[in-house]
């Protein structure tokens, strides 16, 4: 009776324990055929009421499917379709835990797509499901939803490579596998960010009056706001939300840097804002670009990939530099220039830090002159 009340037959297998444990092989008690289903990779429910008893089991079905390579039979598929609305009763953190476990596998994109087809994604992540059918401009060959799934698929393929010419690739792998909160890793969070990177396009989609071209200006900032809503629903930690917002806000920035031209200044500013997450964002931007193959997408893919690799390698090259002590600090600004802490205060210190990194300032005297020129409005001589 206990086993029949469980979720799936592969979890309804027991052994008879007889003391003393002299037999090295304990007899299996398997009333529902779980061993056979496990060997055949068939995920089957213990009872038709499994999902109504606990709707979270719908999410567990996808987790077991992804992590164990299980197949869904017709009965399981039909009951998921029938009972998926029951997920509205399940707490966000329970759904989060199962979803992130599913995102831990190398081919989670396949399972996200299946979740959508069976009505589950619309229940747990309507922000993404609602992008289905939202057409894009000539840069894209897919609508927003299908592009998002393809971007995740590309990110998984890129991030799972064992070797590349990117300097610091092993360090990136170590970073992605670090835990950011609980049992959740940066790799899982980046995959989740892939799912959210374009959700702002639905609200920002417009057609230009002069030529009818579809544009999505500001969709990254709209996406940041949506991230807050999703993070609250899933009870993500503050650390996870902050990283999620940085990723979504900056997911197009590596491409823009390549369009404007690689420079030490642009790379310094990029990594000053994104930190080591910027390396993962650059990889994600490559996946985003690979997932956009519309007729207007004429960019040389090899050149773009090499450019992204340069951006990624630059971070680890910077890490090899000796850490430079600040030439000036806040006390210098207050005593010499009578400035008070605030936005302008931080802006000046960042400008000095940037000029020092670029080799334009080498001592405190030069730094003080640099600040003086900034405050007088004169162009920097550095």
């Amino acid at each position: 009776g206990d086993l029949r009340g469980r979720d799936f037959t592969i979890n309804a297998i027991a052994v008879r324990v007889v003391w003393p444990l002299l037999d090295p092989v304990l007899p299996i008690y398997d009333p529902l055929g779980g061993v056979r289903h496990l060997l055949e990779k068939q995920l089957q429910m213990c009872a038709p009421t499994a999902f109504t008893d606990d709707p979270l089991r719908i999410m567990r079905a996808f987790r077991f499917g992804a992590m164990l390579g299980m197949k869904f039979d017709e009965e399981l598929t039909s009951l998921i379709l029938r009972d998926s609305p029951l997920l509205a009763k399940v707490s966000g953190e329970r759904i989060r835990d199962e979803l992130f476990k599913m995102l831990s596998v190398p081919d989670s994109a396949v399972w996200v797509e299946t979740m959508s087809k069976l009505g589950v994604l619309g229940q747990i992540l309507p922000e993404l499901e609602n992008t289905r059918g939202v057409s894009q401009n000539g840069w894209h060959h897919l609508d927003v939803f299908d592009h998002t799934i393809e971007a995740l698929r590309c990110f998984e393929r890129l991030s799972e490579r064992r070797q590349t010419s990117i300097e610091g690739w092993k360090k990136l792998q170590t970073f992605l596998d670090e835990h950011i909160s609980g049992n959740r890793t940066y790799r899982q969070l980046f995959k989740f960010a892939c799912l959210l990177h374009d959700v702002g396009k639905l609200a920002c989609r417009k057609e230009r009056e002069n030529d009818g071209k579809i544009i999505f200006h500001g969709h990254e900032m709209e996406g940041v706001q949506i991230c807050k809503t999703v993070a609250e629903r899933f009870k993500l930690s503050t650390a996870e939300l902050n990283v999620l917002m940085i990723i979504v806000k900056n997911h197009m920035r590596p491409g823009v840097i390549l369009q404007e031209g690689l420079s030490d200044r642009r790379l310094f500013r990029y990594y000053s804002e994104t930190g080591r997450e910027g390396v993962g964002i650059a990889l994600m931007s490559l996946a985003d670009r690979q997932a956009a193959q519309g007729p207007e997408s004429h960019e040389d893919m090899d050149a773009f990939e090499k450019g992204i690799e340069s951006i990624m390698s630059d971070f680890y090259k910077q890490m090899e530099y000796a850490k430079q002590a600040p030439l000036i600090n806040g006390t210098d600004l207050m005593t010499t220039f009578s400035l008070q802490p605030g936005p302008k205060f931080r802006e000046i210190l960042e400008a000095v830090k940037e000029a020092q990194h670029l080799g334009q300032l080498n001592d405190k005297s030069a730094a003080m002159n640099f600040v003086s020129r900034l405050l007088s409005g004169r162009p920097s001589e550095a």
Side-chain angles (χ1 to χ4, degrees):
D2 174 77
L3 295 181
R4 289 181 183 279
R6 299 193 177 188
D7 52 6
F8 304 105
T9 59
I10 61 171
N11 290 328
I13 306 169
V15 292
R16 294 187 184 277
V17 179
V18 181
W19 190 261
L21 301 176
L22 300 177
D23 192 337
V25 180
L26 297 174
I28 290 177
Y29 181 62
D30 182 20
L32 302 177
V35 171
R36 177 170 56 84
H37 296 153
L38 188 60
L39 292 172
E40 294 175 353
K41 300 288 187 182
Q42 289 287 341
L43 192 65
Q44 294 193 19
M45 301 165 69
C46 292
T49 58
F51 294 156
T52 53
D53 292 342
D54 183 0
L56 182 70
R57 290 169 170 175
I58 296 172
M59 294 299 301
R60 285 168 61 82
F62 288 94
R63 191 245 290 188
F64 288 128
M67 298 186 76
L68 300 177
M70 307 294 284
K71 299 183 286 288
F72 292 3
D73 64 7
E74 287 186 14
E75 180 187 22
L76 178 58
T77 299
S78 64
L79 288 177
I80 290 175
L81 281 165
R82 184 195 75 183
D83 294 336
S84 59
L86 297 176
L87 283 167
K89 302 176 182 178
V90 181
S91 67
E93 56 263 47
R94 294 183 76 205
I95 290 174
R96 172 205 67 203
D97 289 346
E98 297 297 331
L99 176 62
F100 271 68
K101 287 174 185 175
M102 191 194 79
L103 290 175
S104 69
V105 304
D107 61 345
S108 66
V110 174
W111 292 96
V112 174
E113 200 167 23
T114 305
M115 288 173 65
S116 175
K117 291 175 181 176
L118 298 185
V120 174
L121 193 66
Q123 298 297 325
I124 66 168
L125 201 57
E127 295 85 355
L128 174 56
E129 185 64 41
N130 291 342
T131 64
R132 186 180 287 281
V134 178
S135 60
Q136 305 199 75
N137 53 40
W139 275 84
H140 296 270
H141 64 300
L142 300 169
D143 69 11
V144 176
F145 178 85
D146 288 332
H147 163 76
T148 298
I149 301 299
E150 184 62 21
L152 173 58
R153 187 176 289 114
C154 290
F155 180 81
E156 290 186 316
R157 184 177 65 248
L158 290 168
S159 64
E160 294 291 338
R161 291 178 295 177
R162 293 296 106 202
Q163 256 186 332
T164 73
S165 59
I166 298 171
E167 189 167 335
W169 181 254
K170 289 183 179 178
K171 292 180 180 178
L172 173 61
Q173 293 299 312
T174 300
F175 159 59
L176 290 176
D177 290 329
E178 281 182 21
H179 290 90
I180 180 171
S181 184
N183 291 321
R184 299 184 295 281
T185 66
Y186 282 92
R187 190 184 299 273
Q188 292 164 307
L189 189 64
F190 265 96
K191 291 185 183 184
F192 192 55
C194 281
L195 297 179
L196 295 177
H197 81 281
D198 274 350
V199 291
K201 284 187 170 180
L202 179 62
C204 296
R205 186 185 185 280
K206 291 181 181 176
E207 293 185 15
R208 286 198 311 219
E209 292 184 3
N210 58 333
D211 57 8
K213 183 176 180 179
I214 297 171
I215 55 176
F216 298 100
H217 291 165
H219 77 275
E220 67 278 13
M221 297 310 299
E222 179 68 22
V224 166
Q225 297 305 312
I226 293 173
C227 282
K228 295 178 182 178
T229 301
V230 173
E232 183 177 354
R233 185 166 70 242
F234 284 149
K235 302 295 187 290
L236 295 180
S237 66
T238 301
E240 288 172 304
L241 172 58
N242 289 338
V243 172
L244 197 60
M245 291 192 297
I246 287 173
I247 297 171
V248 172
K249 176 185 175 183
N250 291 282
H251 75 269
M252 296 191 302
R253 192 165 168 187
V256 173
I257 290 174
L258 293 180
Q259 285 180 342
E260 295 176 343
L262 277 174
S263 71
D264 289 343
R265 185 183 299 276
R266 291 191 177 104
L267 289 172
F268 176 81
R269 290 180 176 178
Y270 173 64
Y271 282 117
S272 290
E273 179 173 342
T274 64
R276 62 177 181 169
E277 285 84 3
V279 187
I281 294 170
L283 189 66
M284 184 174 145
S285 74
L286 175 57
D288 192 22
R289 177 64 187 79
Q290 289 179 345
Q293 298 294 322
E296 293 181 19
S297 178
H298 301 309
E299 193 166 27
D300 185 338
M301 200 65 226
D302 288 338
F304 187 87
E305 184 167 352
K306 284 177 180 157
I308 292 295
E309 289 181 355
S310 294
I311 292 174
M312 295 172 70
S313 296
D314 183 79
F315 176 80
Y316 294 106
K317 288 176 183 175
Q318 287 188 32
M319 293 294 288
E320 297 300 321
Y321 300 158
K323 190 170 179 62
Q324 296 175 307
L327 294 175
I328 62 172
N329 55 36
T331 302
D332 295 316
L333 296 186
M334 289 188 286
T335 57
T336 305
F337 300 102
S338 301
L339 293 176
Q340 294 302 313
K344 184 69 175 177
F345 197 86
R346 290 193 299 273
E347 184 182 321
I348 290 173
L349 288 176
E350 281 299 314
V352 172
K353 182 180 176 183
E354 177 183 300
Q356 181 184 4
H357 173 81
L358 298 174
Q360 297 170 344
L361 301 175
N362 299 310
D363 55 41
K364 184 170 183 175
S365 175
M368 298 296 274
N369 288 334
F370 178 83
V371 173
S372 180
R373 288 193 298 273
L374 281 178
L375 293 173
S376 67
R378 286 179 288 151
S380 171
E381 297 170 8

